[in-house]
Amino acid sequence: MPRKLTKFTLTEAGEDYLLHIEDDGGETIEFTATYDQLDLLVEEIDQHLDEDAEEVDEVD
């Protein structure tokens, strides 16, 4: 069963970034990511949000 995202933080760590993701059970997972990796995540999220917004507009 997927866990529910409750919080995340992003901090600089030298040339990379630390991404902390906390679930609804209080468990935190830590990832190290490059600027380029974070940029890809942002692009993917934006694409999905844009598609969802278009679907909502089509229903109205």
Side-chain angles (χ1 to χ4, degrees), residues 2-54:
R3 296 178 282 183
K4 189 171 189 175
L5 174 70
T6 57
K7 180 171 98 172
F8 73 93
T9 59
L10 183 66
T11 55
E12 289 185 53
E15 293 182 14
D16 292 331
Y17 296 85
L18 290 177
L19 177 60
H20 294 89
I21 300 174
E22 185 176 322
D23 69 11
D24 55 350
E27 182 179 347
T28 301
I29 302 171
E30 180 179 273
F31 295 95
T32 301
T34 65
Y35 177 90
D36 291 337
Q37 289 171 319
L38 291 176
D39 193 42
L40 288 172
L41 282 170
V42 168
E43 288 177 16
E44 189 70 19
I45 291 168
D46 280 343
Q47 179 182 346
H48 284 281
L49 291 176
D50 288 345
E51 290 172 5
D52 288 348
E54 288 174 10

